[in-house]
Amino acid sequence: MSAPLLQAEGLSVAFPVRGGVLRREVARVRAVERVDIWLGAGEVLGIVGESGCGKTTLGRALVGLVAPDAGTLRVEGRDVATLSRDERRALTRDVQMVFQDPLASLNPRQRIRRILALPFLAHGLAVDEARLRELAGLVGLAPEHLDRWPHELSGGQRQRVGIARALALQPKVLVLDEPLSALDVAIQSQVLNLLVDLQERLGLSYVFISHDLSVVEWLSDTVAVMYLGRIVETAPAEALFASPRHPYTQALLAAVPDPVPRRGRTTRPLEGDVPSPRALPAGCAFHTRCPLAQPRCRESVPELRRVGDTDLHLGACHLL
């Protein structure tokens, strides 16, 4: 088996909590805890979970915007931590990010032409008008859009600019952090179709972070489900949506409105609040909301292990 384009093993990210007059560190919040993911060429990995589960932090760690505390991150088989600064900078061209809010991620004081030129300038590369027009056309923008300011564009057009900027350096992987959530429903379908078209034309691989399970099911090859910083289940998309094994995954899918029940599920949606990341419960973090919790669930953290018919379906639950 060839090396994956993007691979994380035991990846963990923590943020300091400061307090007092001197703002000293009084605690650390574990946003991402021992995450393993694998992304092959031309594939889409969907990452789902409730708000605050660590999806965005994981995405930022994958592109180098957040430094992990532990674990290994490899791009095309190369351990990012062992590279020199110049090598790491060059490697970041292969993994780029599209952010959730297209307006907040674009500099309001720069025209679109300047925004698309910045990736080239940051890496000391030459850029000409023809390349900028090519990038604009690639995402469905007209040449005249290059002379406009971000506030003069619609939400869908701004997100297209964000996608074009991410494609400027011809990456192999795009990390898409909720790329549709800030858009109107009609525009969401247009941007989603654009992403599918770009993947086919350019041979891209995606890490698609979203709370929209229907889109994740349709787009992804593999899906990883996160809860409070950990992956609790991962499987091929078809297997996970047809036969979810973890109680949290079952509850997530049960909460999706379905006018025509397709799978005959009887699982009730989740009740109760997510525990605070600053005071995680002992054992399995999900046991405070799990209707099947047993005493051992409160004592030890379950590890990901095979739960389906193949080695590709993994779950972290004592009851599986």
Side-chain angles (χ1 to χ4, degrees), residues 213-214 216-218 237-244 249-250 252-254 256-258 260-267:
L213 297 179
S214 60
V216 171
E217 180 181 12
W218 179 74
E238 183 177 358
L240 185 134
F241 282 90
S243 181
T249 308
Q250 294 172 356
L252 275 184
L253 297 183
V256 178
D258 192 352
V260 181
R262 296 170 295 168
R263 305 177 180 97
R265 295 197 187 102
T266 58
T267 306

Side-chain angles (χ1 to χ4, degrees), residues 7 22 45 58 79 84 139 184 189 204 207 238 269 291 301 311:
Q7 183 178 18
L22 299 179
L45 169 64
L58 174 59
D79 186 348
S84 66
V139 297
D184 294 337
S189 62
L204 295 168
V207 176
E238 183 177 358
V301 179
D311 292 334

Side-chain angles (χ1 to χ4, degrees), residues 10 39 48 78 103 113 137 195 205 217 235 304 319:
L39 179 67
V48 301
R78 303 174 67 188
L103 183 59
R113 173 178 280 99
L195 292 174
S205 298
E217 180 181 12
L304 274 174
L319 307 181

Side-chain angles (χ1 to χ4, degrees), residues 164-183:
R165 179 178 58 184
L167 294 174
L169 300 178
Q170 299 179 316
K172 299 175 181 178
V173 178
L174 285 189
V175 177
L176 303 156
D177 182 20
E178 301 272 13
L180 309 177
S181 63
L183 306 177

